[in-house]
Amino acid sequence: MNPKLMSEIVASMPDEIAKGIQKTGLREGGVWMTVDRDLLPKIAGHIHNSWGAALVSMHAVDNRFITSDFKLCVVLALKGQDDFVTLVASVDAKDPVFPSLTSEIFCANWYEREIHDMFGLRAKGHPDLRPLVLYDDWPEAAFPLRKDFPVDAKVPRVPRPYVFREVEGEGIFVVPVGPVHAGVIEPGHFRFSVAGEPIIDLEIRLGYAHKGIEKLSERLDYAKGVHLAERISGDNGFAHSLAYCQAIEALSSVSVPDRARYLRCVFAELERVHTHLGDVGGIALDTAFTIGAQHAFILRERMMDVNDLLTGSRFLRGVNCIGGVRKDIDEEGRSKLIERLVMVKLDYQEFYDDVTSTPSVMDRLETTGVLSCEAASDLNIVGPAGRASGVDRDVRRDHPYAGYRNLSFKVPVLRQGDVNARFQVKSEEIMESISIIEQAISNIPEGELRARVPVPAPGKTAMSLVESPRGELVHWIVAGDGSPFRHKIRDASFHNWRAMEVAVLGDIVPDFPLVNKSFGLSYAGNDL
Amino acid sequence: MNDLLLALIQAALILGLAPLVTGIIRKVKALLQSRRGPPVLQPYYDLRKLFRKSSVISSDASWITSVTPFVCMIAMMVAALLVPVFITASFGSLGDLIVVVYLFATARFFMALAALDAGSTFGGMGSSREMMISAIIEPAILLSIFSAALIAGTTDLAGISQVLVLGGTDLLRPTLFLAFAAFFIATLAENARIPFDNPATHLELTMIHEAMLLEYSGKQLALMEMASMTKLMLCITIAWSAFFPFGMATELSPLPVAVGLIAFLVKLLLFALAIALIESSMAKMRLFRLPNLLTGSFILAFLAVMSFYIL
């Protein structure tokens, strides 16, 4: 980032806000500002609203045994520039309260609830501080991400009632669904308030898949952390491990060999293709258009088969390592991959035509589950779901990593925001991904597969953004002694779950599974 | 006496072949989806498995829950006695077509009650949707059957098929085709097939018929499953014997009976194929679009009756 921009940002703030900035500095990851706790909402709100910045992450660090306070970090991505602003505020350990950002930045809501759950820092003025990730019978004063909470601690079960939103009125019924479902899907509780069939309100309660990944990562050395990252969210394993590896590489200031960068693009796009194929197949299946669905699932199977052929893992596990990749694609693998891609491309076109030329399917997809452009930008919806509602953001283009700077691709953006728009965006992305793989594989430079990476010095901070198939995901790491001191993970689903509460309003209950499928969100990635 | 014996044989045929029809539909659908699919006899295996298991009943459930599987199954068994299969004879003194329709309604009424009984949310949703749909299909089914009864001059099913078989092509009027079309749509709705309901889904929120069965397990579930398979079989049989009974035997001698049996099996297969094709080629409709299609069925049935008087 150029220093001029930084001073422009500071200069644009009114004096009563600007006085809260204690220190500014440039680092590799953009601007760092140390700000006053009480003015944090105003400063973050100013950058968010006047500079069109998007909230990338908000999290806390327990620094009590180093600087005897908690640090609160707010990371914002500036619009149209490959730059980030990180605001750091100190929260007194004896007075663990900070003013809530939610009134300035709407999508800070869940972040503050999460911080409240995990660190016991209270967001003053927050509209809703019910537990977000912790179980219902978790005791009130146990904060898992604090440093004095042992990772293997056994906590007593203390029943705590969870008060759901209540909708009152004549003929309003509550339909609770889950957390255990009939299909083989992850756990989540959906509470509909319905008037007959139309949905008046939906409240989503997650956290049932919480397994303490961030805490676990703090005691795993970096090499093992890669395997942990791969398992954060099953079908997005490569994207997560890529973000983790890139963050560690940034901590050690190592640059990855060019061949590995290109290979990472190839594998990341292979993951996108098979995830998207599963999603579009699922959309067809939920309308009961089974022939179409099976067509997509066959293609997905073919792509996973090619993953297996190239790397020995259908889910691309064990491919990433810190400093590069473990698997090379040789001449034979390359020709097989290209052959398979051509086949899938043609077959996908057939599937696409099948679906779009069947009126009964299109009738189900169109105008169902509309997420308006305003709601999408307020909730900071990322990935294909955001792009189907006019949010023109794609990490691969806006903050290029791996080899994306040298590859050309289109970012499809639609504005309708319905199930059909999400289907169309994913369809186009499958084609773009295939084209990216073809470009990368035919221009791949010769060279090493991985660089040697020294263990990062404790205390350094790095962040990595990756466009996973579900959208932007973030790994933010403070280096510790051989393992991360703090490892913040934010999956795309953490932003996108809230979109569903808005998108289903006005639809009828039987259409909910279709809307849900069109967002294709991860429970495990959200609950961590 | 002869009639009773024939009715019993035909009812046994309906009950015995019902799981096979479901198995064939599933198999054809699987093949169309490029899957190998379960064996055609899988529904028999499933029933055998379920009959060996005990049932779990919600502690909130009343006697309705325990009685419903029997009511449904008995209603279907009685209906099976009234429907001619390969010979134009049935236990007609017990009741006619209208009785069959109301036997279906009785089963449905108890099923909807049982779904409400345990107080589960999905059961309630299933019941309300089922009742919405049945309110529209019942008139369509009755009207379409009336048009066949008008031609034959009787509402006794065996009588209708007898008149139609003996009358041959002379009686092949537009009325029959219109009424058959109306009855076909109603059959899909009555038996919870696509585009009305998806019999293969696991998504509780979208279910209609299956949502009402969610509370059942073991033997009770087996009875409920058997009842719905029999209902499908009955609808198919009625569709052929009330509108196109051609090939059916009119007297009890070996050759006509053999022809009648073969004709029945061929028609059964045709109907199953048609259902499988429809289920594979289209999506389930939105819930609130279903009344439109059902009204279409009603209008076809209405036209069938009108055309009888006009033409």
Side-chain angles (χ1 to χ4, degrees), chain B residues 133 137 140-141 144 178-196 239 271 278 285 290-301:
Chain B
I133 287 178
I137 34 176
I141 288 190
S144 60
L178 286 169
F180 181 77
F183 192 82
F184 184 82
I185 296 175
T187 298
L188 294 181
E190 180 80 40
N191 291 286
R193 313 301 307 194
I194 294 171
F196 296 93
F271 211 106
I278 288 176
M285 290 176 94
L290 297 182
N292 298 354
L293 185 55
L294 290 169
T295 314
S297 159
F298 179 77
I299 288 171
L300 283 173

Side-chain angles (χ1 to χ4, degrees), chain B residues 185-265:
Chain B
I185 296 175
T187 298
L188 294 181
E190 180 80 40
N191 291 286
R193 313 301 307 194
I194 294 171
F196 296 93
D197 194 2
N198 182 1
T201 190
H202 64 260
L203 302 166
E204 311 99 324
L205 289 171
T206 66
M207 292 174 177
I208 301 178
H209 175 77
E210 294 291 319
M212 298 195 293
L213 303 189
L214 284 177
E215 291 289 321
Y216 280 111
S217 55
K219 294 180 180 67
Q220 296 185 330
L221 181 62
L223 281 178
M224 297 297 268
E225 293 284 0
M226 184 66 206
S228 23
M229 289 191 252
T230 312
K231 191 183 189 186
L232 176 63
M233 181 75 178
L234 279 169
C235 285
I236 297 176
T237 316
I238 294 173
W240 291 124
S241 55
F243 304 110
F244 299 104
F246 308 108
M248 228 182 224
T250 48
E251 55 188 290
L252 196 58
S253 55
L255 187 65
V257 167
V259 170
L261 260 177
I262 291 169
F264 171 69
L265 291 177

Side-chain angles (χ1 to χ4, degrees), chain A residues 102-146:
Chain A
T102 305
S103 54
E104 299 284 341
I105 304 174
F106 189 61
C107 64
N109 188 329
W110 276 24
Y111 284 107
E112 291 179 345
R113 285 174 70 181
E114 189 188 40
I115 291 170
H116 183 235
D117 275 7
M118 306 308 269
F119 288 92
L121 305 186
R122 203 181 161 75
K124 210 167 85 191
H126 190 283
D128 167 22
L129 272 181
R130 290 173 301 168
L132 180 73
V133 267
L134 294 180
Y135 300 121
D136 285 346
D137 52 2
W138 190 268
E140 225 160 295
F143 305 111
L145 280 181
R146 286 194 178 183

Side-chain angles (χ1 to χ4, degrees), chain B:
Chain B
M1 197 56 223
N2 227 354
D3 264 6
L4 178 59
L5 198 66
L6 280 174
L8 281 175
I9 294 172
Q10 298 192 94
L13 205 60
I14 287 180
L15 290 173
L17 288 181
L20 182 69
V21 174
T22 305
I24 290 174
I25 295 177
R26 285 190 195 154
K27 186 75 180 180
V28 174
K29 278 178 75 177
L31 292 177
L32 287 171
Q33 291 164 19
S34 340
R35 288 191 292 122
R36 206 176 292 159
V40 177
L41 299 181
Q42 190 63 41
Y44 293 100
Y45 305 148
D46 288 347
L47 286 176
R48 190 180 60 182
K49 179 189 75 185
L50 288 173
F51 271 121
R52 283 180 187 165
K53 294 192 168 195
S54 57
S55 304
V56 179
I57 301 175
S58 157
S59 53
D60 296 324
S62 70
W63 57 274
I64 301 250
T65 301
S66 346
V67 132
T68 298
F70 296 103
V71 172
C72 291
M73 198 58 226
I74 290 169
M76 294 309 144
M77 287 160 97
V78 174
L81 283 174
L82 306 179
V83 177
V85 177
F86 58 84
I87 187 160
T88 56
S90 68
F91 200 41
S93 54
L94 195 67
D96 58 6
L97 257 175
I98 301 167
V99 173
V100 174
V101 173
Y102 283 98
L103 281 169
F104 286 177
T106 311
R108 182 163 42 227
F109 173 72
F110 270 88
M111 212 188 278
L113 271 192
L116 293 171
D117 194 31
S120 82
T121 23
F122 301 122
M125 287 195 300
S127 302
S128 87
R129 290 172 192 165
E130 175 84 4
M131 283 300 136
M132 174 189 92
I133 287 178
S134 69
I136 317 176
I137 34 176
E138 225 169 75
I141 288 190
L142 279 176
L143 211 53
S144 60
I145 291 176
F146 278 153
S147 47
L150 278 172
I151 294 178
T154 167
T155 54
D156 176 40
L157 254 175
I160 294 175
S161 26
Q162 177 124 24
V163 172
L164 287 178
V165 172
L166 292 178
T169 43
D170 284 352
L171 287 176
L172 212 53
R173 302 212 200 149
T175 308
L176 282 180
F177 291 95
L178 286 169
F180 181 77
F183 192 82
F184 184 82
I185 296 175
T187 298
L188 294 181
E190 180 80 40
N191 291 286
R193 313 301 307 194
I194 294 171
F196 296 93
D197 194 2
N198 182 1
T201 190
H202 64 260
L203 302 166
E204 311 99 324
L205 289 171
T206 66
M207 292 174 177
I208 301 178
H209 175 77
E210 294 291 319
M212 298 195 293
L213 303 189
L214 284 177
E215 291 289 321
Y216 280 111
S217 55
K219 294 180 180 67
Q220 296 185 330
L221 181 62
L223 281 178
M224 297 297 268
E225 293 284 0
M226 184 66 206
S228 23
M229 289 191 252
T230 312
K231 191 183 189 186
L232 176 63
M233 181 75 178
L234 279 169
C235 285
I236 297 176
T237 316
I238 294 173
W240 291 124
S241 55
F243 304 110
F244 299 104
F246 308 108
M248 228 182 224
T250 48
E251 55 188 290
L252 196 58
S253 55
L255 187 65
V257 167
V259 170
L261 260 177
I262 291 169
F264 171 69
L265 291 177
V266 169
K267 287 176 190 171
L268 198 61
L269 208 59
L270 274 180
F271 211 106
L273 282 177
I275 290 182
L277 276 176
I278 288 176
E279 296 216 321
S280 299
S281 60
M282 70 186 299
K284 192 180 130 139
M285 290 176 94
R286 285 176 198 251
L287 186 69
F288 288 141
R289 300 246 159 127
L290 297 182
N292 298 354
L293 185 55
L294 290 169
T295 314
S297 159
F298 179 77
I299 288 171
L300 283 173
F302 185 68
L303 289 176
V305 173
M306 292 309 281
S307 67
F308 173 78
Y309 287 111
I310 295 169
L311 296 175

Side-chain angles (χ1 to χ4, degrees), chain A residues 224-441:
Chain A
K224 282 188 185 148
V226 183
H227 302 300
L228 180 70
E230 276 173 347
R231 280 150 184 86
I232 290 170
S233 172
D235 53 359
N236 285 193
F238 190 85
H240 271 288
S241 64
L242 180 56
Y244 181 78
C245 290
Q246 286 183 161
I248 305 297
E249 286 148 13
L251 283 176
S252 308
S253 320
V254 169
S255 77
V256 175
D258 280 345
R259 188 170 180 87
R261 286 174 186 276
Y262 273 71
L263 284 172
R264 280 176 169 180
C265 287
V266 171
F267 292 128
E269 296 306 320
L270 280 172
E271 182 174 76
R272 195 180 320 280
V273 173
H274 82 68
T275 311
H276 278 9
L277 281 172
D279 281 355
V280 292
I283 290 176
L285 186 69
D286 282 4
T287 64
F289 186 56
T290 29
I291 288 205
Q294 293 300 337
H295 199 149
F297 292 149
I298 290 170
L299 295 182
R300 175 170 192 254
E301 187 53 38
R302 286 203 188 130
M303 289 311 294
M304 295 188 82
D305 186 50
V306 92
N307 289 349
D308 189 29
L309 199 84
L310 296 174
T311 68
S313 162
R314 288 156 51 80
F315 282 98
L316 301 166
R317 298 270 156 81
V319 172
N320 259 322
C321 62
I322 295 168
V325 288
R326 281 208 187 82
K327 302 282 179 186
D328 200 0
I329 297 179
D330 56 9
E331 209 39 57
E332 196 196 339
R334 189 166 113 169
S335 59
K336 275 191 180 144
L337 174 60
I338 288 182
E339 191 187 323
R340 186 64 60 94
L341 287 176
V342 171
M343 202 161 80
V344 168
K345 199 154 59 174
L346 293 175
D347 277 355
Y348 188 78
Q349 196 57 49
E350 203 179 299
F351 160 81
Y352 179 83
D353 292 342
D354 256 5
V355 169
T356 48
S357 63
T358 307
S360 58
V361 179
M362 292 315 281
D363 182 54
R364 293 291 306 277
L365 304 190
E366 282 168 351
T367 70
T368 306
V370 178
L371 178 70
S372 69
C373 297
E374 291 77 22
S377 76
D378 285 348
L379 290 167
N380 200 355
I381 304 307
V382 295
R387 290 192 282 275
S389 290
V391 179
D392 190 7
R393 258 174 72 75
D394 187 321
V395 182
R396 295 174 293 171
R397 182 196 63 196
D398 303 338
H399 310 287
Y401 54 92
Y404 286 111
R405 209 178 286 277
N406 310 323
L407 300 166
S408 86
F409 55 94
K410 203 169 78 192
V411 177
V413 178
L414 293 175
R415 299 183 59 82
Q416 289 88 330
D418 54 3
V419 173
N420 184 38
R422 289 186 279 277
F423 172 76
Q424 302 290 352
V425 165
K426 283 180 179 165
S427 284
E428 266 191 65
E429 287 191 9
I430 290 173
M431 290 302 176
E432 288 301 319
S433 290
I434 291 177
S435 138
I436 293 174
I437 300 171
E438 286 170 343
Q439 288 173 48
I441 199 82

